[in-house]
Amino acid sequence: MATIENSPAFNGGEQLPWPTLVAAPSRLERAGARLKRRDDAICHPVANELVVWDARRETAVSLNLSAAAVWDLCDGTLSREEITAELAQLVGCDPEILRADVEKTVQELISLDLIEELPGGEEEQQEE
């Protein structure tokens, strides 16, 4: 389950202008690929958005609050389905309502080379 907390911004130590999402770890076997944001991406909150700087491509991408929430959960531990479920539980709706928007955001972040897909399920199986 995701919880809300106002934590320091990524890579900057500044407070975000909105709460960030912190996913509670799950011991359940992950279904599908896990999503991980690039470690070298530099993020700065600007107004109600998160600007992600990609030094490799020398480009900046502005994420709205919804896209920033997806980005925040792409920590390498959750799959697309789990991210959708976490966000749905947080806002109190059925995951099917968010599924298309989360998938579109994930696809855009992958196409921009800002997140990558990692094989799923292996770490959890070894822990048990």
Side-chain angles (χ1 to χ4, degrees):
M1 176 176 137
T3 58
I4 298 176
E5 76 179 33
N6 200 346
S7 62
F10 312 106
N11 302 322
E14 302 171 33
Q15 287 297 106
L16 291 172
W18 63 86
T20 60
L21 301 173
V22 179
S26 171
R27 295 198 52 107
L28 299 174
E29 182 174 331
R30 307 282 185 224
R34 295 170 290 131
L35 300 170
K36 184 172 185 334
R37 58 186 173 264
R38 284 217 342 246
D39 292 331
D40 61 345
I42 300 169
C43 303
H44 294 285
V46 177
N48 288 331
E49 297 184 340
L50 184 68
V51 176
V52 181
W53 172 251
D54 180 357
R56 282 193 239 166
R57 294 182 180 196
E58 296 185 350
T59 58
V61 176
S62 180
L63 305 179
N64 65 19
L65 292 175
S66 298
V70 172
W71 167 267
D72 194 32
L73 289 171
C74 291
D75 62 1
T77 66
L78 300 174
S79 69
R80 296 167 196 242
E81 293 296 315
E82 291 167 319
I83 289 171
T84 302
E86 295 289 344
L87 292 173
Q89 187 170 12
L90 183 70
V91 299
C93 70
D94 187 301
E96 287 303 314
I97 294 171
L98 300 179
R99 190 170 316 284
D101 289 333
V102 170
E103 181 60 30
K104 180 181 175 186
T105 301
V106 165
Q107 287 302 320
E108 288 180 21
L109 292 171
I110 288 172
S111 73
L112 293 167
D113 194 30
L114 293 175
I115 63 173
E116 63 180 328
E117 294 182 286
L118 305 173
E122 296 162 7
E123 289 181 14
E124 288 73 23
Q125 290 175 359
Q126 292 174 0
E127 288 179 3
E128 295 180 12

